[in-house]
Every structure is written in structure tokens, then in C-alpha cells.
Amino acid sequence: VQLQASGGGLVQAGGSLKLSCTDSRRTSSNNAMGWFRQAPGKEREFVAVISWSGSSTAYADSVKGRFTISRDRAKNTLYLQMNSLKPEDTAVYYCATARRSYSGTDAREYAYWGQGTQVTVSS
């Protein structure tokens, strides 16, 4: 397994969680990385992306102002800080490595995917 996501769990609405994604093969340092999520019965959707250097980020409108994506290239780890969580944030969250140093919202731009971590927000 190249990408290992962790940090999911059960939290009440308004709470916080921090997801982590470790690249065991250390192949992501020069590539953009992103987070996607998939709720039951729904398609996988874009959450956030960060450029290879960490200088550029982008977010889905639904999480903007509440979630923060970051990375530590020395540790080969990607993070997603999630605050003010809502029940509609409930999903399996996936980390992914893009094919390029900058990337966008389309899942087809991503070459490697983690196994996913479940986030459940109760009302």
C-alpha cells in the first residue's frame, strides 16, 4: 500500500478531526495531493488539493473556511484538518497523489489512492 489514510472516527456536529495520509513509497513529494470523499449512495467528490510545494491550495465550496489541507514533505504526510463538522460531512475520505505538481478537482488527474478512512458526524 502506498498511501495510508488514518484519523477518521465518530464525532458530534461542531467537532473536529484531523486526517493524515502517509506515503510509504515517498513518491509524492513532487506531486500535488488531494482529499476526496464518498458518502453512501453518492459519487466520490473533491474536497481539497495542495500543490507539490504546499504554496497553493483549493477547496470545495462545501468545506471552504472549515477544512484546511496541508503537507509535510519531509515526513511524506498529507493532512486534512476538519473543523465545525456537519452531518453532511459523513463519508469515507480518500487521499490521492496527482499525476502533476499542480492539480485540480477531477479525480482522473490522480494516479494513486489510499484505502480511505471513515468519518461519521452525528447530529
Side-chain angles (χ1 to χ4, degrees):
V1 176
Q2 177 174 351
L3 299 178
Q4 184 73 40
S6 61
L10 174 63
V11 64
Q12 289 188 332
S16 298
L17 282 173
K18 186 173 184 177
L19 305 184
S20 299
C21 174
T22 301
D23 177 5
S24 60
R25 297 186 184 179
R26 303 183 178 185
T27 58
S28 303
S29 61
N30 295 323
N31 297 74
M33 296 189 74
W35 289 97
F36 289 74
R37 67 187 183 186
Q38 187 167 19
K42 295 187 177 181
E43 294 186 352
R44 188 172 299 189
E45 65 174 1
F46 166 79
V47 175
V49 60
I50 188 167
S51 63
W52 73 277
S53 65
S55 62
S56 178
T57 60
Y59 298 89
D61 287 344
S62 59
V63 307
K64 201 171 294 183
R66 299 188 297 121
F67 290 11
T68 302
I69 188 171
S70 62
R71 67 189 299 172
D72 185 332
R73 295 176 71 220
K75 295 183 178 179
N76 299 293
T77 302
L78 176 73
Y79 303 100
L80 184 68
Q81 177 67 48
M82 305 186 295
N83 299 328
S84 302
L85 283 161
K86 305 175 181 180
E88 51 263 45
D89 294 319
T90 295
V92 177
Y93 283 71
Y94 298 89
C95 57
T97 299
R99 304 179 194 277
R100 303 177 300 174
S101 57
Y102 291 87
S103 196
T105 64
D106 191 339
R108 293 172 295 182
E109 298 179 52
Y110 294 79
Y112 302 102
W113 294 81
Q115 86 290 356
T117 185
Q118 176 70 47
V119 172
T120 303
V121 184
S122 62
S123 57

